[in-house]
Amino acid sequence: LKLSGRRGAFKALYRLPFDLLEEWTTLLSDAILVNSRFTARVFRETFLSATVDPTVLYPSINLSAYDEPPPPGVKSTELYRTLETHPTFVSINRFERKKDVNKAVSAFALLSPALGGRFGDLRLVLAGGYDPRVAENVEHKRELEELAVSLGVQDQVIFKPSFTNEERSALLSKGLAVVYTPANEHFGIVPVEGMYAERPVIACNNGGPTESILDGETGILCDDTAEAFAEAMLRLLTDRGRTEAMGR
């Protein structure tokens, strides 16, 4: 709760006793675990009275869930056929504004001038957690759809909300690369998923991805701008040999 925005003096005053209680009870713990060195730094900056450093314990994934080949039901879908026949960038994030997925759409559109006629063959899949009962999910998906229309790429951007595990595996194994847009993410499990699927990952050069991605070896870390992401995407498109090597 201490990491939530304060938005003014009144809220800060209202939150003060809760913040003090949270800090006191947290520091009573026998051990404090965090999911990255970045989170450890945020912890130290937030809990100023802490006298011990937290221990970093990186999250992992269930590897066996990614090893099974896509079942026939998935292979017969339009999504799978798209992955098989078009160079496709894949973004996997919840449909929340803080995930900055609009950066992927904008970066994708910026590829058009550089690629000319070849651009029409590209696809971008926006997949992720989506709950129609959550207003932000519904609103942000609509915002992304409107952005794609405004940039003239609506026919190339494919939305896949609330995918299955089998569809996720297909996206990761068949996509050209993973585009991971959140800035200052505390860890980010999607880059780990992408790299296990032997796909290069493009991510911001900050937060947890700087600890999981080897820049230039397993992916590309870049500035937090659509232009920088577009440049990284173009690098992967124009040097397929390097892209294949980077994924492995």
Short mmCIF file of all heavy atoms in Angstrom, two decimals, residues 109-167:
data_model
loop_
_atom_site.label_atom_id
_atom_site.label_comp_id
_atom_site.label_asym_id
_atom_site.label_seq_id
_atom_site.Cartn_x
_atom_site.Cartn_y
_atom_site.Cartn_z
N ALA A 109 3.22 0.55 -36.02
CA ALA A 109 2.85 1.45 -37.12
C ALA A 109 4.06 2.19 -37.68
O ALA A 109 4.11 2.48 -38.88
CB ALA A 109 1.79 2.43 -36.64
N LEU A 110 5.04 2.48 -36.82
CA LEU A 110 6.23 3.19 -37.27
C LEU A 110 7.10 2.35 -38.21
O LEU A 110 8.00 2.90 -38.86
CB LEU A 110 7.06 3.62 -36.05
CG LEU A 110 6.49 4.77 -35.21
CD1 LEU A 110 7.31 4.98 -33.94
CD2 LEU A 110 6.46 6.06 -36.03
N LEU A 111 6.86 1.06 -38.28
CA LEU A 111 7.64 0.20 -39.18
C LEU A 111 7.25 0.41 -40.64
O LEU A 111 8.02 0.09 -41.55
CB LEU A 111 7.42 -1.27 -38.81
CG LEU A 111 7.92 -1.72 -37.44
CD1 LEU A 111 7.50 -3.17 -37.19
CD2 LEU A 111 9.43 -1.58 -37.35
N SER A 112 6.07 0.94 -40.88
CA SER A 112 5.56 1.04 -42.25
C SER A 112 6.48 1.82 -43.19
O SER A 112 6.79 1.34 -44.29
CB SER A 112 4.15 1.66 -42.24
OG SER A 112 3.64 1.78 -43.55
N PRO A 113 6.93 3.02 -42.84
CA PRO A 113 7.78 3.77 -43.78
C PRO A 113 9.08 3.05 -44.11
O PRO A 113 9.55 3.11 -45.26
CB PRO A 113 8.06 5.08 -43.03
CG PRO A 113 6.96 5.21 -42.03
CD PRO A 113 6.64 3.82 -41.62
N ALA A 114 9.64 2.35 -43.13
CA ALA A 114 10.93 1.68 -43.36
C ALA A 114 10.78 0.43 -44.22
O ALA A 114 11.69 0.09 -44.99
CB ALA A 114 11.57 1.32 -42.02
N LEU A 115 9.64 -0.25 -44.11
CA LEU A 115 9.46 -1.51 -44.81
C LEU A 115 8.71 -1.39 -46.13
O LEU A 115 8.75 -2.30 -46.95
CB LEU A 115 8.73 -2.51 -43.89
CG LEU A 115 9.48 -2.92 -42.63
CD1 LEU A 115 8.59 -3.78 -41.76
CD2 LEU A 115 10.75 -3.67 -42.99
N GLY A 116 8.01 -0.29 -46.32
CA GLY A 116 7.27 -0.10 -47.56
C GLY A 116 6.22 -1.19 -47.77
O GLY A 116 5.47 -1.53 -46.86
N GLY A 117 6.21 -1.79 -48.94
CA GLY A 117 5.21 -2.79 -49.28
C GLY A 117 5.29 -4.05 -48.44
O GLY A 117 4.29 -4.77 -48.30
N ARG A 118 6.45 -4.32 -47.86
CA ARG A 118 6.60 -5.53 -47.04
C ARG A 118 5.85 -5.41 -45.72
O ARG A 118 5.57 -6.42 -45.06
CB ARG A 118 8.07 -5.79 -46.76
CG ARG A 118 8.90 -6.18 -47.98
CD ARG A 118 10.34 -6.37 -47.59
NE ARG A 118 10.96 -5.12 -47.16
CZ ARG A 118 12.07 -5.04 -46.43
NH1 ARG A 118 12.69 -6.14 -46.05
NH2 ARG A 118 12.56 -3.86 -46.08
N PHE A 119 5.53 -4.18 -45.32
CA PHE A 119 4.88 -3.98 -44.03
C PHE A 119 3.53 -4.68 -43.95
O PHE A 119 3.13 -5.17 -42.89
CB PHE A 119 4.70 -2.47 -43.75
CG PHE A 119 3.97 -2.18 -42.48
CD1 PHE A 119 4.55 -2.42 -41.24
CD2 PHE A 119 2.68 -1.66 -42.51
CE1 PHE A 119 3.87 -2.15 -40.06
CE2 PHE A 119 1.98 -1.38 -41.34
CZ PHE A 119 2.58 -1.62 -40.12
N GLY A 120 2.82 -4.74 -45.05
CA GLY A 120 1.48 -5.33 -45.04
C GLY A 120 1.45 -6.79 -44.65
O GLY A 120 0.38 -7.30 -44.27
N ASP A 121 2.58 -7.46 -44.71
CA ASP A 121 2.62 -8.88 -44.35
C ASP A 121 2.78 -9.09 -42.84
O ASP A 121 2.56 -10.19 -42.35
CB ASP A 121 3.77 -9.56 -45.08
CG ASP A 121 3.68 -11.09 -45.03
OD1 ASP A 121 2.56 -11.61 -45.17
OD2 ASP A 121 4.73 -11.73 -44.82
N LEU A 122 3.15 -8.04 -42.12
CA LEU A 122 3.39 -8.17 -40.68
C LEU A 122 2.09 -8.21 -39.89
O LEU A 122 1.07 -7.67 -40.30
CB LEU A 122 4.23 -7.00 -40.17
CG LEU A 122 5.64 -6.81 -40.71
CD1 LEU A 122 6.32 -5.68 -39.97
CD2 LEU A 122 6.43 -8.09 -40.60
N ARG A 123 2.17 -8.82 -38.70
CA ARG A 123 1.05 -8.83 -37.78
C ARG A 123 1.57 -8.55 -36.36
O ARG A 123 2.72 -8.82 -36.03
CB ARG A 123 0.33 -10.19 -37.78
CG ARG A 123 -0.31 -10.54 -39.12
CD ARG A 123 -1.45 -9.61 -39.48
NE ARG A 123 -2.10 -10.01 -40.71
CZ ARG A 123 -1.78 -9.54 -41.92
NH1 ARG A 123 -0.77 -8.67 -42.04
NH2 ARG A 123 -2.44 -9.94 -42.99
N LEU A 124 0.67 -7.99 -35.56
CA LEU A 124 0.94 -7.76 -34.15
C LEU A 124 -0.22 -8.35 -33.36
O LEU A 124 -1.38 -7.98 -33.59
CB LEU A 124 1.07 -6.27 -33.85
CG LEU A 124 1.11 -5.86 -32.36
CD1 LEU A 124 2.38 -6.39 -31.69
CD2 LEU A 124 1.01 -4.34 -32.21
N VAL A 125 0.08 -9.27 -32.46
CA VAL A 125 -0.96 -9.87 -31.62
C VAL A 125 -0.88 -9.24 -30.22
O VAL A 125 0.18 -9.25 -29.60
CB VAL A 125 -0.80 -11.40 -31.51
CG1 VAL A 125 -1.82 -11.96 -30.51
CG2 VAL A 125 -1.00 -12.05 -32.87
N LEU A 126 -2.00 -8.71 -29.76
CA LEU A 126 -2.11 -8.19 -28.40
C LEU A 126 -2.93 -9.18 -27.59
O LEU A 126 -4.15 -9.27 -27.73
CB LEU A 126 -2.79 -6.81 -28.41
CG LEU A 126 -2.15 -5.74 -29.29
CD1 LEU A 126 -2.90 -4.42 -29.14
CD2 LEU A 126 -0.67 -5.55 -28.95
N ALA A 127 -2.25 -9.95 -26.77
CA ALA A 127 -2.90 -10.98 -25.98
C ALA A 127 -2.73 -10.65 -24.50
O ALA A 127 -1.75 -10.01 -24.10
CB ALA A 127 -2.30 -12.35 -26.29
N GLY A 128 -3.68 -11.11 -23.71
CA GLY A 128 -3.51 -10.88 -22.28
C GLY A 128 -4.78 -11.06 -21.49
O GLY A 128 -5.86 -11.29 -22.04
N GLY A 129 -4.63 -10.96 -20.17
CA GLY A 129 -5.75 -11.11 -19.27
C GLY A 129 -6.81 -10.04 -19.50
O GLY A 129 -6.49 -8.86 -19.63
N TYR A 130 -8.05 -10.48 -19.56
CA TYR A 130 -9.15 -9.57 -19.84
C TYR A 130 -10.40 -10.07 -19.13
O TYR A 130 -10.77 -11.25 -19.24
CB TYR A 130 -9.40 -9.52 -21.35
CG TYR A 130 -10.56 -8.66 -21.78
CD1 TYR A 130 -10.38 -7.30 -22.01
CD2 TYR A 130 -11.82 -9.20 -21.97
CE1 TYR A 130 -11.45 -6.50 -22.40
CE2 TYR A 130 -12.89 -8.42 -22.38
CZ TYR A 130 -12.70 -7.06 -22.59
OH TYR A 130 -13.75 -6.28 -22.99
N ASP A 131 -11.02 -9.18 -18.38
CA ASP A 131 -12.25 -9.51 -17.67
C ASP A 131 -13.31 -8.47 -18.05
O ASP A 131 -13.14 -7.29 -17.75
CB ASP A 131 -12.02 -9.48 -16.15
CG ASP A 131 -13.22 -10.01 -15.36
OD1 ASP A 131 -14.34 -9.97 -15.89
OD2 ASP A 131 -13.03 -10.42 -14.20
N PRO A 132 -14.36 -8.87 -18.74
CA PRO A 132 -15.38 -7.90 -19.17
C PRO A 132 -16.09 -7.21 -18.03
O PRO A 132 -16.78 -6.21 -18.23
CB PRO A 132 -16.36 -8.75 -20.00
CG PRO A 132 -16.14 -10.15 -19.53
CD PRO A 132 -14.69 -10.24 -19.16
N ARG A 133 -15.90 -7.72 -16.80
CA ARG A 133 -16.51 -7.06 -15.63
C ARG A 133 -15.63 -5.94 -15.09
O ARG A 133 -16.08 -5.17 -14.24
CB ARG A 133 -16.74 -8.10 -14.53
CG ARG A 133 -17.71 -9.22 -14.91
CD ARG A 133 -17.65 -10.35 -13.90
NE ARG A 133 -16.31 -10.94 -13.85
CZ ARG A 133 -15.97 -11.93 -13.03
NH1 ARG A 133 -16.87 -12.45 -12.22
NH2 ARG A 133 -14.73 -12.41 -13.05
N VAL A 134 -14.39 -5.87 -15.57
CA VAL A 134 -13.46 -4.84 -15.10
C VAL A 134 -13.47 -3.69 -16.10
O VAL A 134 -13.08 -3.85 -17.26
CB VAL A 134 -12.04 -5.42 -14.96
CG1 VAL A 134 -11.06 -4.32 -14.53
CG2 VAL A 134 -12.03 -6.56 -13.94
N ALA A 135 -13.89 -2.52 -15.63
CA ALA A 135 -14.08 -1.37 -16.52
C ALA A 135 -12.80 -1.01 -17.26
O ALA A 135 -12.83 -0.72 -18.46
CB ALA A 135 -14.60 -0.17 -15.73
N GLU A 136 -11.66 -1.02 -16.56
CA GLU A 136 -10.42 -0.62 -17.22
C GLU A 136 -10.06 -1.57 -18.35
O GLU A 136 -9.57 -1.15 -19.39
CB GLU A 136 -9.27 -0.55 -16.22
CG GLU A 136 -7.99 -0.02 -16.88
CD GLU A 136 -6.79 0.00 -15.95
OE1 GLU A 136 -6.87 -0.59 -14.86
OE2 GLU A 136 -5.77 0.59 -16.33
N ASN A 137 -10.29 -2.87 -18.15
CA ASN A 137 -10.00 -3.84 -19.21
C ASN A 137 -10.80 -3.51 -20.46
O ASN A 137 -10.26 -3.47 -21.58
CB ASN A 137 -10.34 -5.25 -18.75
CG ASN A 137 -9.36 -5.84 -17.75
OD1 ASN A 137 -9.51 -6.97 -17.33
ND2 ASN A 137 -8.37 -5.06 -17.35
N VAL A 138 -12.08 -3.27 -20.28
CA VAL A 138 -12.97 -2.98 -21.41
C VAL A 138 -12.57 -1.66 -22.08
O VAL A 138 -12.47 -1.57 -23.31
CB VAL A 138 -14.43 -2.93 -20.95
CG1 VAL A 138 -15.35 -2.52 -22.10
CG2 VAL A 138 -14.86 -4.28 -20.37
N GLU A 139 -12.35 -0.64 -21.26
CA GLU A 139 -12.01 0.68 -21.80
C GLU A 139 -10.68 0.66 -22.52
O GLU A 139 -10.55 1.24 -23.61
CB GLU A 139 -11.97 1.70 -20.66
CG GLU A 139 -13.32 1.97 -20.01
CD GLU A 139 -13.19 2.74 -18.71
OE1 GLU A 139 -12.06 3.07 -18.31
OE2 GLU A 139 -14.24 3.01 -18.08
N HIS A 140 -9.69 -0.01 -21.92
CA HIS A 140 -8.36 0.04 -22.53
C HIS A 140 -8.30 -0.77 -23.82
O HIS A 140 -7.62 -0.37 -24.77
CB HIS A 140 -7.31 -0.45 -21.55
CG HIS A 140 -5.91 -0.16 -22.00
ND1 HIS A 140 -5.52 1.07 -22.50
CD2 HIS A 140 -4.79 -0.94 -22.06
CE1 HIS A 140 -4.25 1.04 -22.83
NE2 HIS A 140 -3.79 -0.17 -22.58
N LYS A 141 -9.00 -1.89 -23.86
CA LYS A 141 -9.06 -2.64 -25.12
C LYS A 141 -9.68 -1.78 -26.21
O LYS A 141 -9.19 -1.76 -27.35
CB LYS A 141 -9.86 -3.93 -24.93
CG LYS A 141 -9.96 -4.78 -26.20
CD LYS A 141 -10.63 -6.11 -25.90
CE LYS A 141 -10.79 -6.95 -27.16
NZ LYS A 141 -11.81 -6.40 -28.06
N ARG A 142 -10.73 -1.06 -25.89
CA ARG A 142 -11.36 -0.17 -26.87
C ARG A 142 -10.39 0.94 -27.28
O ARG A 142 -10.30 1.29 -28.46
CB ARG A 142 -12.64 0.43 -26.30
CG ARG A 142 -13.40 1.31 -27.30
CD ARG A 142 -14.78 1.67 -26.80
NE ARG A 142 -14.73 2.40 -25.55
CZ ARG A 142 -15.16 1.93 -24.37
NH1 ARG A 142 -15.68 0.72 -24.30
NH2 ARG A 142 -15.08 2.65 -23.27
N GLU A 143 -9.63 1.48 -26.32
CA GLU A 143 -8.65 2.52 -26.64
C GLU A 143 -7.58 1.99 -27.60
O GLU A 143 -7.17 2.69 -28.54
CB GLU A 143 -7.99 3.02 -25.36
CG GLU A 143 -8.91 3.82 -24.45
CD GLU A 143 -8.36 4.00 -23.05
OE1 GLU A 143 -7.27 3.46 -22.76
OE2 GLU A 143 -9.03 4.66 -22.24
N LEU A 144 -7.15 0.77 -27.38
CA LEU A 144 -6.14 0.17 -28.26
C LEU A 144 -6.70 -0.08 -29.65
O LEU A 144 -6.00 0.13 -30.66
CB LEU A 144 -5.62 -1.13 -27.65
CG LEU A 144 -4.79 -0.98 -26.37
CD1 LEU A 144 -4.58 -2.33 -25.71
CD2 LEU A 144 -3.46 -0.30 -26.65
N GLU A 145 -7.94 -0.51 -29.70
CA GLU A 145 -8.58 -0.71 -31.01
C GLU A 145 -8.70 0.61 -31.76
O GLU A 145 -8.44 0.68 -32.97
CB GLU A 145 -9.96 -1.33 -30.80
CG GLU A 145 -9.92 -2.77 -30.30
CD GLU A 145 -11.28 -3.28 -29.85
OE1 GLU A 145 -12.17 -2.43 -29.57
OE2 GLU A 145 -11.46 -4.50 -29.75
N GLU A 146 -9.07 1.67 -31.04
CA GLU A 146 -9.19 2.99 -31.67
C GLU A 146 -7.83 3.51 -32.12
O GLU A 146 -7.71 4.15 -33.17
CB GLU A 146 -9.85 3.96 -30.69
CG GLU A 146 -11.32 3.64 -30.42
CD GLU A 146 -11.90 4.47 -29.30
OE1 GLU A 146 -11.12 5.18 -28.61
OE2 GLU A 146 -13.13 4.42 -29.08
N LEU A 147 -6.79 3.24 -31.32
CA LEU A 147 -5.44 3.65 -31.70
C LEU A 147 -5.01 2.95 -32.99
O LEU A 147 -4.44 3.58 -33.89
CB LEU A 147 -4.45 3.34 -30.57
CG LEU A 147 -2.98 3.64 -30.86
CD1 LEU A 147 -2.77 5.13 -31.14
CD2 LEU A 147 -2.10 3.18 -29.69
N ALA A 148 -5.28 1.66 -33.08
CA ALA A 148 -4.92 0.91 -34.29
C ALA A 148 -5.62 1.49 -35.52
O ALA A 148 -5.01 1.63 -36.59
CB ALA A 148 -5.27 -0.57 -34.11
N VAL A 149 -6.88 1.85 -35.35
CA VAL A 149 -7.62 2.46 -36.47
C VAL A 149 -7.01 3.79 -36.85
O VAL A 149 -6.82 4.10 -38.04
CB VAL A 149 -9.12 2.63 -36.09
CG1 VAL A 149 -9.84 3.46 -37.15
CG2 VAL A 149 -9.79 1.27 -35.95
N SER A 150 -6.69 4.61 -35.85
CA SER A 150 -6.14 5.95 -36.13
C SER A 150 -4.79 5.87 -36.83
O SER A 150 -4.42 6.78 -37.58
CB SER A 150 -6.01 6.75 -34.82
OG SER A 150 -4.97 6.24 -34.00
N LEU A 151 -4.05 4.79 -36.60
CA LEU A 151 -2.74 4.62 -37.23
C LEU A 151 -2.80 3.80 -38.51
O LEU A 151 -1.78 3.58 -39.16
CB LEU A 151 -1.78 3.95 -36.23
CG LEU A 151 -1.45 4.75 -34.97
CD1 LEU A 151 -0.62 3.91 -34.00
CD2 LEU A 151 -0.71 6.03 -35.31
N GLY A 152 -4.00 3.37 -38.86
CA GLY A 152 -4.19 2.63 -40.11
C GLY A 152 -3.67 1.21 -40.10
O GLY A 152 -3.39 0.64 -41.16
N VAL A 153 -3.56 0.59 -38.91
CA VAL A 153 -3.04 -0.78 -38.83
C VAL A 153 -4.07 -1.74 -38.25
O VAL A 153 -3.73 -2.84 -37.82
CB VAL A 153 -1.74 -0.83 -37.98
CG1 VAL A 153 -0.63 -0.08 -38.68
CG2 VAL A 153 -1.97 -0.29 -36.58
N GLN A 154 -5.34 -1.34 -38.27
CA GLN A 154 -6.37 -2.16 -37.64
C GLN A 154 -6.49 -3.55 -38.25
O GLN A 154 -6.89 -4.50 -37.57
CB GLN A 154 -7.73 -1.44 -37.68
CG GLN A 154 -8.34 -1.28 -39.06
CD GLN A 154 -7.85 -0.03 -39.78
OE1 GLN A 154 -6.86 0.58 -39.38
NE2 GLN A 154 -8.55 0.35 -40.84
N ASP A 155 -6.15 -3.70 -39.53
CA ASP A 155 -6.26 -5.01 -40.18
C ASP A 155 -5.08 -5.91 -39.86
O ASP A 155 -5.10 -7.11 -40.20
CB ASP A 155 -6.38 -4.85 -41.69
CG ASP A 155 -7.68 -4.16 -42.09
OD1 ASP A 155 -8.67 -4.28 -41.35
OD2 ASP A 155 -7.70 -3.49 -43.15
N GLN A 156 -4.05 -5.35 -39.23
CA GLN A 156 -2.85 -6.13 -38.92
C GLN A 156 -2.66 -6.37 -37.43
O GLN A 156 -1.79 -7.15 -37.05
CB GLN A 156 -1.61 -5.41 -39.48
CG GLN A 156 -1.60 -5.30 -41.00
CD GLN A 156 -0.54 -4.32 -41.47
OE1 GLN A 156 -0.84 -3.19 -41.84
NE2 GLN A 156 0.71 -4.75 -41.47
N VAL A 157 -3.46 -5.70 -36.61
CA VAL A 157 -3.37 -5.88 -35.16
C VAL A 157 -4.49 -6.82 -34.73
O VAL A 157 -5.66 -6.57 -34.96
CB VAL A 157 -3.48 -4.54 -34.42
CG1 VAL A 157 -3.48 -4.77 -32.90
CG2 VAL A 157 -2.34 -3.61 -34.82
N ILE A 158 -4.10 -7.92 -34.11
CA ILE A 158 -5.04 -8.96 -33.71
C ILE A 158 -5.16 -8.97 -32.19
O ILE A 158 -4.15 -9.01 -31.47
CB ILE A 158 -4.55 -10.34 -34.19
CG1 ILE A 158 -4.42 -10.34 -35.72
CG2 ILE A 158 -5.48 -11.45 -33.73
CD1 ILE A 158 -3.64 -11.53 -36.26
N PHE A 159 -6.37 -8.92 -31.70
CA PHE A 159 -6.62 -8.94 -30.26
C PHE A 159 -6.98 -10.36 -29.82
O PHE A 159 -7.83 -11.01 -30.42
CB PHE A 159 -7.75 -7.97 -29.90
CG PHE A 159 -7.36 -6.53 -30.02
CD1 PHE A 159 -7.39 -5.90 -31.26
CD2 PHE A 159 -6.92 -5.82 -28.93
CE1 PHE A 159 -7.00 -4.56 -31.39
CE2 PHE A 159 -6.54 -4.50 -29.04
CZ PHE A 159 -6.58 -3.86 -30.27
N LYS A 160 -6.32 -10.80 -28.76
CA LYS A 160 -6.60 -12.13 -28.22
C LYS A 160 -6.70 -12.03 -26.70
O LYS A 160 -5.76 -12.35 -25.96
CB LYS A 160 -5.48 -13.11 -28.62
CG LYS A 160 -5.79 -14.55 -28.25
CD LYS A 160 -7.05 -15.06 -28.92
CE LYS A 160 -7.41 -16.45 -28.49
NZ LYS A 160 -8.69 -16.90 -29.07
N PRO A 161 -7.83 -11.56 -26.19
CA PRO A 161 -8.01 -11.46 -24.74
C PRO A 161 -8.28 -12.83 -24.12
O PRO A 161 -8.91 -13.70 -24.73
CB PRO A 161 -9.21 -10.53 -24.60
CG PRO A 161 -9.98 -10.72 -25.85
CD PRO A 161 -8.98 -11.02 -26.92
N SER A 162 -7.75 -13.02 -22.91
CA SER A 162 -8.04 -14.22 -22.12
C SER A 162 -7.77 -15.51 -22.90
O SER A 162 -8.64 -16.33 -23.11
CB SER A 162 -9.49 -14.19 -21.63
OG SER A 162 -9.71 -13.04 -20.83
N PHE A 163 -6.53 -15.67 -23.33
CA PHE A 163 -6.15 -16.84 -24.10
C PHE A 163 -5.96 -18.06 -23.20
O PHE A 163 -5.79 -17.94 -21.99
CB PHE A 163 -4.86 -16.56 -24.87
CG PHE A 163 -3.76 -16.02 -23.99
CD1 PHE A 163 -2.95 -16.86 -23.26
CD2 PHE A 163 -3.55 -14.65 -23.89
CE1 PHE A 163 -1.95 -16.37 -22.44
CE2 PHE A 163 -2.55 -14.14 -23.08
CZ PHE A 163 -1.75 -15.01 -22.35
N THR A 164 -5.98 -19.22 -23.81
CA THR A 164 -5.75 -20.46 -23.07
C THR A 164 -4.24 -20.72 -22.96
O THR A 164 -3.43 -20.08 -23.65
CB THR A 164 -6.39 -21.66 -23.77
OG1 THR A 164 -5.74 -21.85 -25.05
CG2 THR A 164 -7.89 -21.41 -24.00
N ASN A 165 -3.85 -21.67 -22.12
CA ASN A 165 -2.44 -22.04 -22.00
C ASN A 165 -1.90 -22.54 -23.34
O ASN A 165 -0.75 -22.25 -23.70
CB ASN A 165 -2.25 -23.11 -20.93
CG ASN A 165 -2.46 -22.57 -19.53
OD1 ASN A 165 -2.38 -21.36 -19.30
ND2 ASN A 165 -2.73 -23.47 -18.59
N GLU A 166 -2.72 -23.30 -24.07
CA GLU A 166 -2.29 -23.83 -25.36
C GLU A 166 -2.09 -22.69 -26.37
O GLU A 166 -1.12 -22.71 -27.16
CB GLU A 166 -3.31 -24.83 -25.89
CG GLU A 166 -3.41 -26.12 -25.10
CD GLU A 166 -4.21 -25.98 -23.82
OE1 GLU A 166 -4.89 -24.94 -23.64
OE2 GLU A 166 -4.16 -26.90 -22.98
N GLU A 167 -2.98 -21.71 -26.34
CA GLU A 167 -2.83 -20.56 -27.24
C GLU A 167 -1.61 -19.74 -26.87
O GLU A 167 -0.90 -19.24 -27.75
CB GLU A 167 -4.10 -19.71 -27.20
CG GLU A 167 -5.29 -20.37 -27.87
CD GLU A 167 -6.59 -19.63 -27.61
OE1 GLU A 167 -6.72 -19.00 -26.54
OE2 GLU A 167 -7.49 -19.69 -28.47
#
